[in-house]
Every structure is written in structure tokens, then in C-alpha cells.
Amino acid sequence: MGRADPEEGQLPAPVKPPDGGWGWIVLLGCFVITGFSYAFPKAVSVYFKELMKDFHVGYSDTAWISSIMLAMLYGTGPVCSIMVNQFGCRPVMLIGGLLASSGMILASFTTNIIELYLTAGVLTGLGMALNFQPSLIMLGTYFDKRRPLANGLAAAGSPVFLSSLSPLGQVLLEKFGWRGGFLIMGGLLLNCCTCGAVMRPLDMGMRRKMEKAQDKYEAKEMLPIGGKTEEGISTTDGTKKAKKAKKRPKKGKKLLDFSIFSNRGFIIYTISKFILVLGLFVPPILLVNYAKDTGVPDTEAAFLLSIIGFIDIFARPACGMVAGLKWVRPHVAYLFSFAMLFNGLTDICSARASNYTGLVIFCVFFGISYGMVGALQFEVLMAIVGSQKFSSAIGLVLLIEAFAVLIGPPSAGRLVDALKNYEVIFYLAGSEVVLSALFLAMATYCCLNRGKKKEPPPEKNASAGGGSDTEEAESDVPEAEEHGSDNHQPAHSTDNAVVAAASEEANHVAEEQSGEGGGCPEGDGEVLARDGCNADQTVERDSF
């Protein structure tokens, strides 16, 4: 890559993530967006009884509101990826915040359930999807070394908002009714626009400012040398650009990068995640009804979900800290497999729980394992494909997960209606989660690790999947050196080296014009150094 010019259709070299600074504000915005995206579809369920009375529909009809929200969150992944690649994260998030808010505001004026599906379901769900995915992409651009911790902290927004939005919704329902509650919730969703506004792009802004300041400083340093030097450099600059325009075809920007399907790690992750989602959400959905059927009072049964949420709040950041350790991070895929195995075994072992104490123990272990899975799922994907292709990868993964979400929980509900037995459902869900864990671990070991041992080490390429952002940025330097005169020199040259090179260049121009500099032929727009005609010593103004 090197330091390519955006005007010439070249992708800019990735900027090293700051791992802090403004990134903490970005993390806070991602925390809020994650909380709204995952908790809001569940928190809306407190209004279902009033909706059933007003619209004279059943529980399954009102439950479709939450289902449509989740389907839009997962199923519109590729659309979000295309919009992010085309317009950037910040504009997409601002539009998403407006859509989410307007959906709930319009829902407060609806007169039938179909209108609720279109407003609260489709419009609000699409708005949250346009916020959720770009926020994760921005988090990956601002964090590299601390990325596991950042992902864990951002994922903690889901249980925090779930434990707060549900009681708030109940209070709003009692004081203002469901229409007033929807209107106020729509106002709360405008905070997504605030979160989108703080998602400042990292790549181009600071780079352009630094380059302009450096150009001005170096131009002042070169002015006393003489007009001949400036004339020689301007000739070099013009000839270089003409040469690059001929040699370098302009590259169009990909709206959705399907080349990630050539990455074996991505294929393995996608298959395991599809199997995981089939059974991951089944136990918390059926837990309350399961407890009621065993004789647990309604209030105590509802408190079980609060236990899961409370444990989940601390499990996600803690797991992110563990995943960020130097000796753990290279093997984060195996840690993710362990988290899924832990979750699946928890479901299987608690299938026979027949009293409240057993269910509380299940909720504690399920909260820990569920939090681990939530903290690691996107970190593993970032580690596999890298931040350059993450925007396309997450969109395609969410689309595939959407099918699993539409298959898993509804199928479990039908089995409960047919068998009248929750024990079988817990066994089935746990087995699916265990299968996904074993598949990910075994496929990673057999297909990826063994393949790396047998194959020779590949050449460094920033466009290849996997690796951190720092490694991708460092890989641009040798690539620029390989292209010789077609690429600019590295931008991190010191000021002393620049001034020295300019002095040598001025002396050589003066020698050529006085007839003393013969011996080295003039290249196409190149100013050669004194000691020889080595292309590696070419000095370009653009690189100053």
C-alpha cells in the first residue's frame, strides 16, 4: 500500500489505533448503542398486555414486534455493510438514530397491529441495525492492544440497559399508558444520534493535518537553497504523477467484500456461530415459564432473569480483560470455544432442576457463560478477518445468524407445545451449543493451526484477513519498498533526514547544470543522489 493518494483511487494506509484518547468516548457510545440494540426488543415486551387489550390480539401477535426488531437487527447486516463502506460510519449512525426514534414516535399513533409491525418493528429495528454495526466497526479502528477489553466493556451495555429499560418501561406504562411510553422511548432513542456524532473517523483527518504541517515546515527549510532546487523538484513532482497515472489503474471501492469467504477461519467461525445461535437464546426465553410450571411464584420467576443480567454485567468486562492477556490473546478462539462449551454444559446439567434453588444456581452459571460468549464473539471475528474487512464480515455473519434466530426459538416453542416437557428442550439447546464449541475448537486446530505448520509463511499483505491493526500498518512499509520508484517513501522519516536529502538534491541539481555532475543518467522525473544511481535513494517531494 504505502502512502497512496486518495485522489488516485488508492486506499489509504491504515492508521495505528490509539488504544485510548478519544477512543474511550467511542467506547462509551458503543456501550449505549449495544445496550439499546439488544435490550430494547426485550424491554418492549412490558407493553404487550396493554397492546393485546387495545388491539384485541393474542400474545403471539404482539410478540412479533420484538421478533421483527431482532430480524431487522440481524438480517439487514449486508445492507449496513454496504452503507458503511459507501458513506462511512458516522452518517449511517446519524440516519439510524433518526429512524429508530421516528419508528417509536410513529408507533404511538398507530391504530392496528400491522401499523405497529411497520413502525416499531421494521423502522425502529432498521434504525438500531444502522447504529449497532458501525459502532462495532469504529471500536475496532480505535482499539488494537486493548480491543478485547473494549469489546467486553461495550458488550456490558446489553445487561445494563436490560436491567434499567424494563423497569422504566413499566413505570412509563403505569403513568402515561403505552402510547405515552412509546413516545418517551422514541425520545430516548435520539441518544443514538449523539453516539453517532462522536464516532470521529480516525484514518484521514489526522493524517491530512500532519502531512500539511510537515509540507509547510519542509518548504520553509528548502526555500533558502535556491530557485533551481524548487524548479527541479517541481519537474520531478509533475513527471512522477504523470508516470503514476499511467501505471496505476484506479481502484473502485467495494461495497461488500465477498473475498472473506476465501478465509477458512471465517468459514469455520460462521458455521459454528450459526449452530450456536440455534440454542443460545432458548433457555432465557423459556426460563420464566419453566419456573412457573415447577411451582415458582410469578415474582420470583421473573427475578431469575435479573440474576442472569446482574451476573452478565460483570462477566463481560472480566472476560474481556482475560482475553487481552498476552498469553491468552493468540488463542482467543479456544477461549471462545470454552465459553460456548461452558454454556452448553450449563444447559444440560440444569435440565432436571426442579426447585427454585436449582434454578438460581443455573442462572448464576448461565450468566457467567453467557457473558463470556457475548464478550468474545466479535473479538474473535475481528481477530480472524482484521479491521479492514470487518465491516463486510459482520454484515454477512449477522445475515446468516438471522436465519438461526428465526429457526431456533420458534422451533423450541413448538416442541414445548407438543411435548409439554421443558427438560428435552434444555437438553437439545445445550447439545447444539456444545456441538458449536467442539466444531470451532477442532476445526481451528485441524484446519488452521496444522495448515500453518505445513505451509511456508506467506508474504505480508495488509488485505489478508486476520492480525491486528498494528501488524497491518507495519506491513505497508516493506511493501512500499518493494515497489521502488512507484511508491512514496515512508512518511515517518525524520526532519533531519529530509533536510539532508534536500541539500544533497540541490547540490546535485547545481552540479548537473554546471556540467560537473555527469556519470549518472537522468531518470523519469527522478532526482538522483550523489553517490550513484540507486533507485532506493530517490527523493520525492510528495513524501516530505
Side-chain angles (χ1 to χ4, degrees), residues 358-383:
L359 292 175
V360 169
I361 295 174
F362 160 73
C363 291
V364 171
F365 284 100
F366 185 86
I368 296 173
S369 59
Y370 189 78
M372 292 175 66
V373 172
L376 295 173
Q377 55 180 343
F378 297 118
E379 168 60 26
V380 174
L381 181 59
M382 289 182 186

Side-chain angles (χ1 to χ4, degrees), residues 29 32-33 36-37 93-94 96-98 100-101 127-128 131 187-198:
V32 175
I33 294 296
F36 275 125
S37 299
M93 292 184 68
L94 292 174
L98 292 175
S101 176
M128 290 190 295
N131 275 274
L188 289 177
L189 285 175
L190 283 175
N191 287 291
C192 295
C193 295
T194 305
C195 297
V198 304

Side-chain angles (χ1 to χ4, degrees), residues 41-57:
K42 302 172 186 176
V44 173
S45 61
V46 300
Y47 299 100
F48 284 175
K49 286 187 177 180
E50 293 297 322
L51 294 175
M52 292 166 60
K53 292 179 181 178
D54 284 7
F55 295 144
H56 307 287
V57 294

Side-chain angles (χ1 to χ4, degrees), residues 226-239 505 509 513 525-527:
K228 294 181 180 180
T229 303
E230 294 182 3
E231 187 179 278
I233 293 176
S234 62
T235 305
T236 300
D237 191 10
T239 314
E505 179 185 350
V509 171
Q513 293 184 353
E526 295 179 353
V527 182

Side-chain angles (χ1 to χ4, degrees), residues 98 125 129 204 290 321 326 339 352 354 522:
L98 292 175
M204 294 302 297
Y290 177 41
M321 294 178 64
K326 292 182 179 180
R352 290 177 174 252
S354 56
E522 293 186 10

